[in-house]
Amino acid sequence: MELKDDVSIVLCGEAGQGIQTVERFLTRVLKFDGFNVFATKEYMSRVRGGLNSTEIRVSSENIKSFVSKIDVLVTLKKGSIQHLKDRLSKDTLILGEKANAEDGYPFVEMPFTQIATDIGDKIFSNVVAVGSISAILNVDFGTIESYLKEFFARKGDEIVNKNIEAAKKGYDLGLNLIKTGKIKVSIKKDASIKNDLIFDGATAIGLGALAGGCNFISSYPMTPSTGILTFLSEHAKEFGIVAEQAEDEISAINMAIGAWYAGSRAMVTTAGGGFALMVEGMSLAGMIESPLVVNLGQRPAPATGLPTRTEQGDLLFALYSGHGEFPKILLTPGTLEDAFYLTQKAFYFADKFQVPVIILSDQYLVDSYYNVKNLDLPKNQPQKFVVETTKDYKRYALSKNGISPRGIPGGAGLVDVDSDEHDESGHITEDLDLRVKMVDKRLKKFDSIKAEIIPPELIGSPKYDTIVVGWGSTYPAIREAVEKIEDESIAFLYFKQVYPLHPDTKKYLQSAKKRIIVENNATSQFGHVVKAETGIDFDVKILKYNGMPFSVEELVSRLKESR
């Protein structure tokens, strides 16, 4: 078997077997050796047992999307082949322990565990597997050795040497596959990739929060957003962050609102079930005109649903969250770069317009990672919009653009906020005429927000006949699929901000003879938003809601069928 330019390697085993360790080792070794790499995982909701898999895609080009094909399957547990049988082909090279083989599937025995046991402990079997795959991909063994020395340095020379021995024996296994003609891989290396960054979506959002000036995070752990809380907690001392694991989501959002009131820049992270508990806090933020940044990590629902899988099912929930009418902003990153820049932007939007900003991520985005050339870090401190209060300060002064001056306690004026309707000074009122003025004032913010809406990005020829619309994490797969179709009559319109909707949306849609929308949900939630805002419906809706992301291959097929 000969593979050129793009290889998909999948590792499959049970939770607790160390698949993520292999993924971490291998992706970093590949990056350090000059390969473009992308990794994503699918896993069951259990601490031990079950079957989990990780896809590691290696390419001559920078890649960001999931593919269905499996070129090399490394089985670490019996049942792996059946678990992934729909993705296997006659050309798939299946490697693993003899006990994991299944009738009807060609199999090459790789005694990872026996080799590890001979070295001293079966725990080294993961490193043996890393060595084998590295050899198949033509990774320089010196790169593996250097990484292992650095990674295990704190555990002493004996552990370092045993890991190097395990990797070398695995490497020899891989070389034997090449010598016997079982596989040949040709992927271009690029020396500049060695200096790339490599991180996942949770880290990207965490870094974006730091760039946006976040100095307070309060959350209750909930998949898939826990990684963001963990990242900011790990770096709390380094960046002066107060990180609080609250007792529940109600406490978390109210802590964040209190932090903004005191002058901090606060964030909460959660998933759909946790956000359900936060909606009263969303309304509080709307009434007291408090800035707020929320990362809502979407997963299949209702209720607990599939807690470790992916979906885009919470858009309408986020849009209509909170009782009453008040402005909010919804951002939807589709790449790690966008996750960084949009999270940074979320703090700017929240502070400037004094509204809640919701970042809609999902399990696929948060858990995927790949090499990134660079991130433009802010050269200056984030722009802040807090004013110094005077004795005649009015927190809710009626203004032409609806944005009142926001002060914080400690100045000469009283900073009075109240969840009841209030007058300009913040005192409770039941003046019905003033009630109308306050509602209108809050809604006037939309005019200012619309002036800074992030426009959708058109990928492809502006002379399109067919337009494909996507938002959030569907971006990489849609883009790659459209590029593979190689037809100038089809273009892709990608939305990083889904609310408020950019006014050019209608123009883009009206220019197409056929309109297709792609969403990871069952009812085309963004399609509903677009139709409500523009009056235009989609001719074709490509929807997926089984808990898995779109693969490039299935989108190529379905887009061709839809035309």
Side-chain angles (χ1 to χ4, degrees), residues 303-447:
T304 308
L306 296 174
T308 60
R309 308 289 176 162
T310 199
E311 200 162 281
Q312 292 181 311
D314 291 339
L315 191 156
L316 293 179
F317 177 34
L319 177 57
Y320 297 116
S321 59
H323 49 290
E325 300 166 300
F326 58 94
K328 59 174 74 75
I329 296 171
L330 271 59
L331 305 178
T332 53
T335 66
L336 302 188
E337 296 92 333
D338 284 341
F340 172 78
Y341 294 118
L342 290 179
T343 303
Q344 180 183 355
K345 193 79 169 180
F347 284 88
Y348 166 81
F349 280 155
D351 198 345
K352 182 173 183 178
F353 301 121
Q354 301 170 30
V355 298
V357 180
I358 303 171
I359 304 160
L360 283 163
S361 62
D362 51 43
Q363 180 270 325
Y364 175 64
L365 175 72
V366 167
D367 285 342
S368 296
Y369 59 94
Y370 49 83
N371 55 294
V372 174
K373 281 298 174 193
N374 206 353
L375 295 173
D376 293 328
L377 300 177
K379 294 183 174 65
N380 302 308
Q381 289 296 316
Q383 185 178 3
K384 297 184 179 180
F385 298 90
V386 173
V387 302
E388 186 175 349
T389 62
T390 58
K391 288 184 178 181
D392 59 350
Y393 171 72
K394 294 181 178 181
R395 172 64 185 94
Y396 302 108
L398 295 170
S399 59
K400 289 183 179 180
N401 64 1
I403 302 172
S404 306
R406 185 172 74 93
I408 60 174
L414 174 65
V415 184
D416 187 4
V417 300
D418 200 290
S419 64
D420 289 72
E421 190 58 273
H422 38 252
D423 61 18
E424 290 182 90
S425 296
H427 302 311
I428 295 174
T429 183
E430 293 202 24
D431 183 321
L432 302 187
D433 291 332
L434 184 55
R435 156 68 179 180
V436 172
K437 290 179 182 178
M438 282 295 170
V439 172
D440 290 345
K441 182 190 89 70
R442 291 190 286 267
L443 294 179
K444 273 181 191 175
K445 294 181 185 181
F446 274 122
D447 294 332

Side-chain angles (χ1 to χ4, degrees), residues 316 519 521-528 541 543 545:
L316 293 179
E519 300 192 60
N521 57 51
T523 58
S524 185
Q525 294 190 20
F526 188 49
H528 285 295
K541 296 172 183 176
L543 308 174
Y545 42 94

Side-chain angles (χ1 to χ4, degrees), residues 12-219:
C12 188
E14 64 178 315
Q17 202 169 8
I19 293 175
Q20 289 189 31
T21 302
V22 178
E23 176 190 47
R24 179 179 175 81
F25 279 13
L26 192 55
T27 50
R28 280 150 182 80
V29 164
L30 289 166
K31 195 272 290 189
F32 289 135
D33 209 49
F35 290 99
N36 287 294
V37 62
F38 164 84
T40 193
K41 59 181 70 70
E42 59 92 19
Y43 54 102
M44 295 180 177
S45 179
R46 57 187 70 187
V47 177
R48 290 285 184 273
L51 284 166
N52 302 336
S53 71
T54 286
E55 173 177 289
I56 300 174
R57 190 177 171 199
V58 190
S59 177
S60 299
E61 304 293 330
N62 186 250
I63 31 92
K64 303 178 180 180
S65 46
F66 168 73
V67 290
S68 180
K69 70 163 184 164
I70 300 177
D71 296 312
V72 179
L73 172 61
V74 179
T75 68
L76 299 175
K77 184 187 177 184
K78 182 76 172 176
S80 298
I81 294 173
Q82 284 300 312
H83 182 65
L84 296 165
K85 63 181 181 180
D86 293 339
R87 295 174 59 190
L88 302 178
S89 73
K90 61 181 179 59
D91 297 321
T92 302
L93 179 64
I94 305 176
L95 311 174
E97 309 282 352
K98 186 177 181 180
N100 298 338
E102 295 193 24
D103 293 340
Y105 294 90
F107 192 88
V108 177
E109 182 182 358
M110 301 286 276
F112 300 132
T113 303
Q114 185 58 55
I115 291 172
T117 302
D118 292 343
I119 291 170
D121 195 318
K122 65 179 182 180
I123 196 171
F124 297 114
S125 60
N126 293 333
V127 181
V128 179
V130 169
S132 297
I133 299 169
S134 298
I136 291 169
L137 295 170
N138 193 31
V139 173
D140 185 275
F141 187 77
T143 304
I144 305 171
E145 189 172 3
S146 296
Y147 181 76
L148 291 173
K149 284 180 178 178
E150 181 181 348
F151 189 85
F152 290 109
R154 289 181 295 178
K155 296 195 174 184
D157 291 342
E158 183 180 357
I159 296 298
V160 169
N161 292 334
K162 284 186 177 295
N163 275 283
I164 292 172
E165 182 183 356
K168 184 64 173 68
K169 289 187 179 295
Y171 197 84
D172 291 339
L173 279 179
L175 289 178
N176 188 57
L177 291 177
I178 298 171
K179 289 175 184 176
T180 56
K182 295 270 193 318
I183 189 169
K184 180 181 179 182
V185 176
S186 300
I187 298 176
K188 296 175 186 175
K189 294 185 184 182
D190 180 349
S192 68
I193 292 173
K194 297 178 183 181
N195 298 317
D196 283 3
L197 305 171
I198 186 166
F199 50 81
D200 61 14
T203 301
I205 292 170
L207 289 170
L210 292 176
C214 177
N215 54 15
F216 185 97
I217 181 167
S218 51
S219 297

Side-chain angles (χ1 to χ4, degrees), residues 3 84 232 243 281 283 302 316 326 374-375 431 449 474 518 532 554:
L3 300 168
L84 296 165
L232 290 175
S283 286
L316 293 179
F326 58 94
N374 206 353
L375 295 173
D431 183 321
I449 292 169
T474 58
V518 177
E554 69 180 303

